[in-house]
Amino acid sequence: MPLIHRKKPPTSSEEVVVPDEDSQKKPHESSKTHKKSNGGGKWSCVDSCCWFIGCVCVTWWFLLFLYNAMPASFPQYVTERITGPLPDPPGVKLKKEGLKATHPVVFIPGIVTGGLELWEGKQCADGLFRKRLWGGTFGEVYKRPLCWVEHMSLDNETGLDPEGIRVRAVSGLVAADYFAPGYFVWAVLIANLAHIGYEEKNMYMAAYDWRLSFQNTEVRDQTLSRMKSNIELMVSTNGGKKAVIVPHSMGVLYFLHFMKWVEEPAPMGGGGGPDWCAKYIKAVMNIGGPFLGVPKAVAGLFSAEAKDVAVARAIAPGFLDTDIFRLQTLQHIMRMTRTWDSTMSMLPKGGDTIWGGIDWSPEKGHTCTGKKQKNNETRGEAGENGRSKKKPVNYGRMISFGKEIAEAEPSEINNIDFRGAVKGQSIPNHTCRDVWTEYHDMGIAGIKAIAEYKVYTAGATIDLLNYVAPKMMARGGAHFSYGIADDLDDPKYKDPKYWSNPLETKLPNAPEMEIYSLYGVGIPTERAYVYKLNQSPDSCIPFQIFTSAHEEDEDSCLKAGVYNVDGDETVPVLSSGYMCAKAWRGKTRFNPSGIKTYVREYNHSPPANLLEGRGTQSGAHVDIMGNFALIEDIMRVAAGGNGSDIGHDHVYSGIYEWSERIDLKL
Amino acid sequence: MLPPPLLRFRKLSFSEDTVNPIAKQQTTTEKPKRRRSGRCSCMDSCCWAIGYLCTAWWLLLFLYHSVPVPAMLQAPESPGTRLSREGVKALHPVILVPGIVTGGLELWEGRPCSEGLFRKRLWGASFTEVLRRPLCWLEHLSLDSETGLDPPGIRVRAVPGLVDADYFAPCYFAWAVLIESLAKIGYEGKNIHMASYDWRLSFHNTEVRDHSLSRLKSKIELMYATNGYNRVVVVPHSMGAIYFLHFLKWVETPLSDGGGGGGPGWCAEHIKAVVNIGPAFLGVPKAVSNLLSAEGKDIAYARSLAPGLLDSELLKLQTLEHLMRMSHSWDSIVSLLPKGGEAIWGDLDSYTEEDHNCIYSKRKSSQLSINNLNRRNDSVRPESWVKEPAKYGRIIAFGKQASELPSSQLNTLNIKELSRGDGTSNETTSCGEFWSEYNEISRESIVKVAENTAYTATTVFDLLRFISPKMMKRAEAHFSHGIAEDLDDPKYGHYKYWSNPLETKLPDAPEMEMYCLYGVGIPTERSYIYKLATSSAKYKSSIPFRIDGSVDGDEVCLKGGTRFADGDESVPAISAGFMCAKGWRGKTRFNPSGMETFVREYKHKPPGSLLESRGTESGSHVDIMGNVGLIEDVLRIASGASGHEIGGDRVYSNLMKMSEKISIKL
């Protein structure tokens, strides 16, 4: 009641208030009084507002009630009526075939998809103890954005926790089953595995803090030790059946690191002995693995504009689009992501040998015929039958300043070396000081030198980042390496920083193990960028993707400043397929024991209508986890099948052709 | 102003006859006209009122969220913060072992009626499914009545991780407060572990089905190794205490005998202390009433969730019966039956709590009760107290008389000789579909069983075996409730003895410490007065016994057919404290290596006001987990303090005296 009284003044008439009080007790009577007292007067604005809100609420409740009363199978029924009967989910289908849970399964989530929760925080994070900061609804991003950024950042000297803040990975299957409510990651796979008898005791989500460098997850959280102990436990409690490992995205690199770590002797490694992998691992089924890195990691670090890391941006689009906030937000995100060592694990590896030089690239001749989101149907065949009508794209030029440069003949490019350029002290903008990026140390001279170098190949981009962000790269350089080993027996490769690079480390000695590379194809994937200098005076990031570099031609690979190539929207085919298609195939120096490898590609086919949600035949980086064919493959292997049972290789893209072009000693 | 479609819809449906077509097109100005119609305005004012309420609600909610919490309402400093300032740091890894009921259970495979509940909690959280599909829920939570394992086609599993039992229901904490305090001194996921297990199963079956014991062993070994070889501190609660007792014996038993194969010395090497909270070492009398008539309070959580359902006379009996059927399929309840028989719990004429006076009574006057308790401790005895003392030894008595008569006047009935008869013919068949063994007993035998008889902790087993032979047979293969004559007898190698502290030895670990922490000062169920359920035309129940709620004693010990003793509302002090106070103290046959034991009691003090919710000085069974004194003790032990450093024993109850009275060979 008091509240209603408080609302009275704006309505300014006493008559209105009296019925107000009654109406809540006896709505019917009050309406009569109301009528009398108002006597043909006007309903006040507040009244009509309330009336309207009431209507909306009632309707809402009614709908909610209907929704809750609706049987759970109703949406499926509607879908089936519209699109015809749905195929059985693989779990149901394979259960009918008599498949049973056999090998324990270990999931290794990738970057970004794992939840993080707070264990200790600053004052501003009161009440968030053991609440998710990352994953879930991201409610805190809106409520206290600066606090959130502060807690999600790591210490930028050590790459570990800042003082007084402890943010840790959520553990268990809940860590990455859903990234946000309704947005599945592993949930579909888990549900299908449960159909053939899997449950908590033979499934394990190896959640780790994906912001840290791989070796630091062991130093800080003993994550690798836990994983080792859990695999050992599951193998011994499941009758000695070896484990099937299913890493996704960055988890692939993480597991590569693990396999090396676990066999190394104790202080640096896990002390499992030289046959640990052979004893405990049946198969590694890499989903969308960025073995050789992803080009978008470069863009992410260079100008915070890659899509993957920008999930955080997508969460608050309105925030980013308003001009005032935009630049600040980007910088905050950049500052945050730069403290995460893990982003550096995905920089392109193997340099020019793998990714191509100024005048060549392995994907030479790839055309993007009809590769538009809109004409999905043609997309599948594009890789094979699209014949070049025009000048091929120079994918080797990972970053070029200006569109002309990206297309110019190699001889026309005149590089001025930026490496020696003196970093000036003249700072373009002082307000950026408070946000930590290293650009302000560079000065105008440095920025100019970078832009004048014009073209950067994969090898040169590493130098570029070393120049642009020396501190960050120094920190990352202690944990990751991007080269190709000349001699794998060199004792220097005992250093953990080489363990996650497949080109600088050997696979374990486990001839019975199998390695699969499962990934989607048929989606344009970022491969090279056209950049420009950012002229905006109040920007702290001096470079920007040149989004107006665009070709009118539908068939062009160049879209909004980005050259696309075949892949799963995040990882180009070259990165996810090359190791299994060539470098590890048979007995090579990277695979001394001749572990069998298989490449399984899944052609992207987008959901036919909205009711299908994210589709059951998607090939996109994360959505592929709901791809029925992929789930079926994994389940068959988990139930005891091997690579030849599920049908060996299955390739749509030009991965073999491209692999041949790469000249690497094997 | 108002969205026309909605408005028009309402008008069409409720006031077609009165509103002219023009009015439909107009908005606010026309409202008075519209309200002239009685029916219409009723609808309108309803909406209007709801709108007001909603707005007010939102406003309050907004205020609640935006206004800072005033200092006076702020929670008192948590013990974690205080100890952290004192320099107490995380040292020993902590293992939490939840008790019965508090752990969450989730669905992994179910019948069609449970569609959409995959990996949703059936037990714990909001229990919405109980209301939505009660029968389906019961079916899924019941176990197979023959094997005590999963029924075919249903898999319900414990929720893993800290979320298993941090909150039982939203806002009803179990372990959350303790976890938060531990986090304040530096604990996090890597050094706290919740040993979740399916609390419905017998302890041995948790290993058979889920490998829970193996997991716990592996986890302890891992945490010991990754935390600088500091031994772990185990914190079991309620039934978790006997579960962990089972584990202690299991882990050192060789693999060939069905153990964990840790070898002798495993406990000494890995465990620093076992800090039992409210341990039910010697069982709880309420388990008896629960099995007899589903009327115990603890299991009655489920009942209290749906009070309306239970109170309606029509559904009442059915519901109770369903619950009974469900709980009879859970082996774990049998583990809580009183152990040690008459030697511990008293025979027909003697009883351990002889000195106990129940001057304290209802919880309403609990402030008073504290004072009285104090007085009692000071041995100030008001005259009025000395009355005929309660005969606690008679755990079940039929009729008040039987509970008070001298033993010579009681019917002596050799229950083992009584034939169960086949009474199914004259009982209602409506109950036949439910598994409850009562309908197999003839009415005559039931009357005979109940005629002027009383049962002690020993003979009550005969009663239970008589009325539900199948259940007891199944469960007694997993649990034993006697006292060992000779602990070296090879039969004690069987797992069914491992959870009974009176039939098993503590491990050989002289450095280990045993703590018994529990609340006192709350009336706790100790014995019951039963009656036969009235057999009339209305008689539909197949549960022939009821607690005689009409029996109220002159002395407050007797209330609603139940006699109370000192304890923590669930576990009588004698059950929680005896082992630490006497059975294990010094070098006894139950504790051959002479590990130190400590008894710490926490006097119950109800929350001062509603704002304190469940209080920080509570002594009741579950709320004690938020008791500041207890948390501080646990924290100190976890950070390395020994029992003597935290103050050794602290006893408020008559425990020591009562223990003296119990004469068992030590």
Side-chain angles (χ1 to χ4, degrees):
Chain A
M1 281 311 121
L3 209 93
I4 289 170
H5 275 293
R6 224 189 290 157
K7 281 191 183 164
K8 183 180 67 177
T11 68
S12 81
S13 79
E14 268 210 308
E15 294 98 317
V16 184
V17 179
V18 180
D20 283 359
E21 288 181 306
D22 286 343
S23 67
Q24 298 199 351
K25 292 168 206 153
K26 299 169 194 165
H28 193 79
E29 281 180 23
S30 77
S31 63
K32 282 177 195 160
T33 5
H34 211 120
K35 196 169 61 185
K36 266 182 234 157
S37 61
N38 261 7
K42 286 175 187 170
W43 242 24
S44 73
C45 173
V46 175
D47 283 336
S48 11
C49 277
C50 286
W51 175 84
F52 175 61
I53 291 170
C55 282
V56 172
C57 282
V58 171
T59 325
W60 175 248
W61 288 331
F62 184 66
L63 286 177
L64 208 68
F65 173 75
L66 281 185
Y67 176 78
N68 275 319
M70 181 178 77
S73 56
F74 187 69
Q76 199 192 342
Y77 173 75
V78 172
T79 319
E80 282 188 5
R81 284 307 291 270
I82 295 173
T83 61
L86 294 173
D88 268 349
V92 176
K93 180 178 144 200
L94 296 180
K95 192 184 179 187
K96 282 182 198 149
E97 280 182 29
L99 261 64
K100 281 259 168 337
T102 312
H103 297 276
V105 176
V106 177
F107 307 115
I108 303 176
I111 196 168
V112 175
T113 47
L116 299 174
E117 61 187 14
L118 185 76
W119 278 83
E120 185 183 339
K122 299 270 163 73
Q123 197 79 48
C124 68
D126 253 5
L128 293 182
F129 177 69
R130 286 187 54 225
K131 297 270 188 309
R132 284 195 185 200
L133 290 186
W134 188 272
T137 56
F138 282 95
E140 297 309 319
V141 184
Y142 292 107
K143 278 201 207 158
R144 19 193 160 175
L146 283 180
C147 184
W148 183 81
V149 166
E150 185 185 355
H151 283 82
M152 286 299 297
S153 301
L154 295 169
D155 187 283
N156 79 57
E157 299 293 319
T158 60
L160 293 168
D161 289 327
E163 192 63 30
I165 292 178
R166 283 184 293 152
V167 173
R168 296 289 180 267
V170 177
S171 64
L173 292 177
V174 285
D177 55 349
Y178 289 93
F179 174 61
Y183 188 86
F184 70 82
V185 181
W186 295 89
V188 180
L189 183 57
I190 292 171
N192 280 297
L193 283 168
H195 273 296
I196 61 165
Y198 278 94
E199 55 190 73
E200 207 74 50
K201 71 176 171 192
N202 40 20
M203 280 196 281
Y204 165 61
M205 177 78 74
Y208 57 99
D209 188 335
W210 46 262
R211 300 170 304 159
L212 299 185
S213 75
F214 303 156
Q215 195 64 12
N216 274 343
T217 61
E218 171 66 11
V219 170
R220 197 191 72 180
D221 301 335
Q222 284 88 42
T223 314
L224 297 173
S225 299
R226 284 156 168 268
M227 197 148 107
K228 171 169 175 263
S229 144
N230 261 306
I231 293 177
E232 287 168 355
L233 170 72
M234 291 205 303
V235 169
S236 71
T237 54
N238 283 286
K241 295 268 191 305
K242 293 190 247 178
V244 171
I245 317 289
V246 189
H248 173 235
S249 185
M250 192 178 79
V252 167
L253 302 177
Y254 190 67
F255 194 71
L256 222 50
H257 186 93
F258 173 82
M259 285 198 288
K260 195 75 188 165
W261 172 88
V262 76
E263 300 199 339
E264 281 297 304
M268 264 323 210
D275 58 346
W276 194 94
C277 292
K279 246 173 26 202
Y280 290 104
I281 300 175
K282 170 184 155 58
V284 184
M285 309 198 72
N286 303 294
I287 304 177
F291 285 108
L292 302 176
V294 287
K296 72 160 63 164
V298 175
L301 289 173
F302 193 51
S303 61
E305 289 185 288
K307 268 193 238 160
D308 215 44
V309 176
V311 170
R313 282 167 67 197
I315 287 160
F319 214 58
L320 280 161
D321 289 349
T322 57
D323 224 52
I324 314 162
F325 284 116
R326 177 163 184 214
L327 305 161
Q328 281 297 98
T329 315
L330 264 187
Q331 285 150 28
H332 279 300
I333 282 162
M334 190 151 173
R335 183 174 63 132
M336 179 171 82
T337 53
R338 282 188 168 201
T339 65
W340 297 348
D341 286 342
S342 60
T343 51
M344 282 177 275
S345 73
M346 302 219 281
L347 289 176
K349 285 165 191 161
D352 297 2
T353 317
I354 301 289
W355 297 93
I358 286 180
D359 52 347
W360 77 282
S361 71
E363 293 105 326
K364 204 169 175 181
H366 174 74
T367 46
C368 311
T369 318
K371 286 200 175 231
K372 294 224 64 178
Q373 291 286 3
K374 279 168 198 160
N375 7 344
N376 299 315
E377 283 72 27
T378 54
R379 210 191 277 167
E381 298 88 55
E384 284 91 36
N385 59 18
R387 280 285 145 256
S388 161
K389 297 174 217 149
K390 45 200 226 127
K391 214 163 41 167
V393 182
N394 294 309
Y395 287 119
R397 302 171 189 180
M398 204 161 270
I399 289 181
S400 25
F401 278 89
K403 192 180 162 198
E404 309 76 46
I405 304 293
E407 287 166 357
E409 291 298 317
S411 53
E412 293 165 18
I413 296 168
N414 189 11
N415 283 334
I416 300 162
D417 204 354
F418 63 94
R419 291 174 184 90
V422 188
K423 293 184 176 185
Q425 282 306 307
S426 50
I427 299 130
N429 190 332
H430 291 272
T431 58
C432 301
R433 277 280 178 196
D434 56 336
V435 178
W436 180 82
T437 75
E438 292 180 54
Y439 283 120
H440 59 247
D441 289 337
M442 214 157 52
I444 289 167
I447 291 167
K448 215 173 154 207
I450 287 167
E452 274 170 6
Y453 186 69
K454 303 293 185 200
V455 168
Y456 297 86
T457 59
T461 47
I462 306 293
D463 294 334
L464 168 67
L465 288 170
N466 275 330
Y467 179 79
V468 168
K471 281 191 219 150
M472 176 191 74
M473 289 303 282
R475 203 184 65 224
H479 290 290
F480 300 105
S481 165
Y482 314 105
I484 298 177
D486 282 325
D487 174 17
L488 281 163
D489 295 319
D490 192 326
K492 79 168 182 175
Y493 290 116
K494 294 250 178 235
D495 191 311
K497 77 174 186 177
Y498 298 106
W499 294 349
S500 60
N501 182 352
L503 299 173
E504 289 181 305
T505 190
K506 288 189 231 176
L507 287 180
N509 179 22
E512 296 190 356
M513 208 170 110
E514 295 172 314
I515 295 183
Y516 296 81
S517 200
L518 319 172
Y519 54 90
V521 293
I523 309 182
T525 306
E526 295 169 50
R527 175 67 171 81
Y529 300 90
V530 180
Y531 264 88
K532 65 167 184 187
L533 278 177
N534 190 349
Q535 305 299 348
S536 160
D538 39 35
S539 167
C540 295
I541 303 170
F543 309 107
Q544 224 178 22
I545 292 179
F546 188 33
T547 44
S548 46
H550 203 80
E551 288 196 4
E552 294 306 311
D553 190 352
E554 285 274 295
D555 296 348
S556 169
C557 289
L558 179 63
K559 288 266 135 56
V562 180
Y563 285 102
N564 290 315
V565 76
D566 203 3
D568 70 357
E569 202 169 12
T570 300
V571 185
V573 167
L574 190 67
S575 176
S576 43
Y578 175 69
M579 290 314 289
C580 280
K582 180 134 186 262
W584 282 338
R585 188 135 286 184
K587 270 197 179 158
T588 68
R589 64 190 182 111
F590 300 111
N591 179 10
S593 64
I595 294 172
K596 287 207 186 69
T597 62
Y598 301 95
V599 179
R600 306 273 297 169
E601 293 185 348
Y602 303 89
N603 211 345
H604 178 69
S605 133
N609 55 42
L610 271 178
L611 283 170
E612 277 185 27
R614 288 156 66 202
T616 56
Q617 293 166 24
S618 175
H621 193 58
V622 176
D623 294 357
I624 198 173
M625 313 278 278
N627 185 310
F628 279 3
L630 174 126
I631 292 174
E632 191 178 325
D633 286 349
I634 292 175
M635 289 176 72
R636 285 189 189 279
V637 173
N642 58 35
S644 38
D645 293 342
I646 64 168
H648 294 283
D649 291 354
H650 195 252
V651 173
Y652 295 99
S653 71
I655 179 71
Y656 289 133
E657 196 188 327
W658 299 341
S659 303
E660 285 312 313
R661 292 209 191 109
I662 294 173
D663 176 30
L664 180 69
K665 190 180 86 183
L666 294 176
Chain B
M1 252 190 91
L2 298 168
L6 197 81
L7 200 66
R8 221 177 295 150
F9 169 75
R10 299 226 167 248
K11 278 180 195 162
L12 278 172
S13 38
F14 301 109
S15 55
E16 267 170 3
D17 47 346
T18 47
V19 182
N20 58 28
I22 306 141
K24 284 179 197 167
Q25 308 302 328
Q26 295 176 348
T27 50
T28 26
T29 46
E30 289 298 312
K31 262 185 204 142
K33 228 184 250 175
R34 187 161 40 79
R35 248 180 295 126
R36 246 166 247 149
S37 131
R39 284 161 67 206
C40 166
S41 59
C42 167
M43 199 57 213
D44 279 346
S45 25
C46 272
C47 284
W48 173 83
I50 290 166
Y52 249 135
L53 285 176
C54 284
T55 322
W57 175 250
W58 289 330
L59 201 73
L60 284 176
L61 210 69
F62 175 75
L63 285 176
Y64 174 78
H65 278 291
S66 58
V67 171
V69 187
M72 51 168 287
L73 289 181
Q74 246 153 19
E77 197 180 40
S78 90
T81 321
R82 187 157 45 82
L83 291 180
S84 154
R85 247 201 332 269
E86 281 178 28
V88 174
K89 280 264 166 307
L91 183 66
H92 298 278
V94 172
I95 309 275
L96 311 174
V97 186
I100 198 168
V101 176
T102 42
L105 299 173
E106 60 187 16
L107 183 77
W108 277 86
E109 185 183 340
R111 301 271 157 84
C113 71
S114 66
E115 201 182 299
L117 293 180
F118 178 67
R119 288 185 57 222
K120 297 271 186 307
R121 282 195 185 203
L122 291 185
W123 188 271
S126 54
F127 282 98
T128 42
E129 296 309 320
V130 185
L131 300 176
R132 274 210 216 158
R133 21 191 159 174
L135 284 179
C136 183
W137 183 81
L138 280 168
E139 183 185 359
H140 283 82
L141 275 179
S142 300
L143 294 169
D144 189 283
S145 60
E146 298 291 318
T147 60
L149 292 168
D150 290 326
I154 292 178
R155 283 184 293 153
V156 172
R157 296 289 179 266
V159 177
L162 291 177
V163 284
D164 174 46
D166 54 350
Y167 288 93
F168 174 61
C171 298
Y172 188 86
F173 70 81
W175 292 90
V177 180
L178 184 59
I179 294 171
E180 189 160 356
S181 302
L182 283 166
K184 290 261 164 57
I185 63 167
Y187 281 93
E188 59 191 54
K190 69 176 173 188
N191 42 18
I192 309 186
H193 172 67
M194 177 81 75
S196 55
Y197 59 98
D198 188 337
W199 46 263
R200 301 170 304 158
L201 299 184
S202 77
F203 304 157
H204 180 67
N205 277 342
T206 62
E207 171 65 13
V208 171
R209 197 192 71 182
D210 300 335
H211 312 301
S212 301
L213 297 173
S214 299
R215 283 159 166 266
L216 181 55
K217 172 172 174 258
S218 143
K219 203 79 202 182
I220 291 178
E221 285 167 353
L222 170 72
M223 288 170 72
Y224 171 68
T226 53
N227 285 285
Y229 297 96
N230 282 309
R231 291 174 300 157
V232 303
V233 168
V234 184
V235 187
H237 173 237
S238 184
M239 191 178 81
I242 47 180
Y243 185 71
F244 196 71
L245 216 55
H246 184 93
F247 173 82
L248 286 178
K249 190 76 186 169
W250 172 86
V251 75
E252 297 201 341
T253 305
L255 282 170
S256 53
D257 297 345
W266 191 94
C267 295
E269 191 189 339
H270 291 97
I271 300 175
K272 169 185 157 31
V274 183
V275 187
N276 301 293
I277 301 177
F281 280 127
L282 299 179
V284 288
K286 70 160 65 162
V288 177
S289 70
N290 191 354
L291 287 175
L292 267 183
S293 62
E295 289 184 295
K297 265 197 237 157
D298 220 43
I299 297 302
Y301 269 126
R303 281 169 68 198
S304 61
L305 289 171
L309 213 71
L310 280 162
D311 288 347
S312 67
E313 191 60 34
L314 191 77
L315 290 173
K316 186 177 180 190
L317 305 163
Q318 284 297 81
T319 315
L320 268 186
E321 190 179 68
H322 278 301
L323 280 175
M324 181 147 175
R325 182 177 63 122
M326 181 168 81
S327 57
H328 270 210
S329 74
W330 296 346
D331 284 340
S332 59
I333 292 181
V334 177
S335 77
L336 291 173
L337 288 176
K339 285 167 190 160
E342 293 174 5
I344 301 287
W345 296 94
D347 55 27
L348 289 175
D349 293 316
S350 73
Y351 33 88
T352 42
E353 287 101 334
E354 221 156 319
D355 278 347
H356 180 69
N357 298 288
C358 316
I359 190 84
Y360 56 49
S361 53
K362 292 137 274 184
R363 262 177 289 165
K364 277 175 200 158
S365 57
S366 33
Q367 206 55 49
L368 184 78
S369 81
I370 295 296
N371 299 337
N372 290 331
L373 267 178
N374 291 342
R375 258 192 285 159
R376 195 189 72 209
N377 289 328
D378 302 341
S379 303
V380 183
R381 295 162 154 262
E383 303 279 302
S384 63
W385 285 16
V386 191
K387 277 214 155 190
E388 193 184 357
K391 288 194 166 43
Y392 287 121
R394 301 171 188 183
I395 284 196
I396 300 288
F398 283 94
K400 194 182 175 199
Q401 269 197 319
S403 77
E404 285 166 356
L405 284 172
S407 59
S408 52
Q409 293 173 29
L410 286 172
N411 270 0
T412 49
L413 176 72
N414 194 343
I415 208 165
K416 282 168 198 156
E417 284 167 13
L418 207 62
S419 81
R420 287 170 56 84
D422 62 335
T424 27
S425 52
N426 56 356
E427 296 298 325
T428 49
T429 43
S430 69
C431 306
E433 55 182 300
F434 309 114
W435 183 82
S436 141
E437 297 178 56
Y438 278 119
N439 15 13
E440 292 165 23
I441 314 172
S442 67
R443 185 76 192 162
E444 293 72 50
S445 354
I446 286 173
V447 172
K448 218 164 187 182
V449 162
E451 214 165 11
N452 198 28
T453 47
Y455 297 89
T456 65
T458 309
T459 53
V460 83
F461 280 92
D462 295 328
L463 177 65
L464 285 170
R465 281 183 207 121
F466 174 73
I467 59 164
S468 48
K470 279 191 217 147
M471 177 198 73
M472 289 303 282
K473 195 168 162 233
R474 189 189 73 226
E476 289 198 305
H478 289 285
F479 298 107
S480 167
H481 302 86
I483 301 181
E485 283 299 314
D486 173 17
L487 279 164
D488 294 321
D489 192 326
K491 78 167 184 177
Y492 291 114
H494 193 274
Y495 57 77
K496 78 174 187 178
Y497 300 105
W498 293 348
S499 62
N500 182 351
L502 299 172
E503 289 180 307
T504 190
K505 289 187 225 176
L506 286 182
D508 178 23
E511 303 273 287
M512 216 171 107
E513 293 169 314
M514 267 287 184
Y515 294 84
C516 291
L517 316 180
Y518 55 91
V520 290
I522 309 183
T524 306
E525 296 165 51
R526 177 69 171 75
S527 64
Y528 301 93
I529 294 170
Y530 265 76
K531 65 171 180 189
L532 279 177
T534 42
S535 171
S536 65
K538 276 196 297 179
Y539 179 67
K540 283 213 178 67
S541 170
S542 62
I543 305 172
F545 308 121
R546 301 239 146 268
I547 292 178
D548 192 352
S550 60
V551 178
D552 278 333
D554 311 328
E555 75 275 57
V556 266
C557 277
L558 181 58
K559 192 122 191 73
T562 312
R563 289 183 198 276
F564 294 97
D566 199 3
D568 68 357
E569 202 169 14
S570 287
V571 185
I574 192 74
S575 172
F578 173 72
M579 289 316 289
C580 287
K582 189 159 176 229
W584 287 330
R585 182 135 293 179
K587 267 198 180 156
T588 68
R589 65 193 182 110
F590 300 113
N591 179 12
S593 65
M595 65 174 70
E596 286 197 271
T597 61
F598 301 94
V599 180
R600 307 271 298 167
E601 292 185 348
Y602 302 88
K603 213 187 298 168
H604 178 68
K605 197 171 160 193
S609 64
L610 271 179
L611 281 172
E612 280 183 35
S613 68
R614 289 159 67 201
T616 53
E617 288 171 88
S618 174
S620 79
H621 195 58
V622 176
D623 294 358
I624 197 174
M625 315 266 273
N627 184 306
V628 178
L630 176 129
I631 290 174
E632 188 176 331
D633 286 349
V634 174
L635 257 53
R636 284 190 191 278
I637 295 165
S639 61
S642 72
H644 296 292
E645 281 163 14
I646 63 165
D649 286 353
R650 194 180 58 190
V651 177
Y652 297 103
S653 68
N654 279 354
L655 179 70
M656 294 304 179
K657 249 189 199 165
M658 290 191 287
S659 303
E660 282 315 308
K661 284 223 186 79
I662 296 174
S663 56
I664 56 171
K665 195 177 80 182
L666 291 176

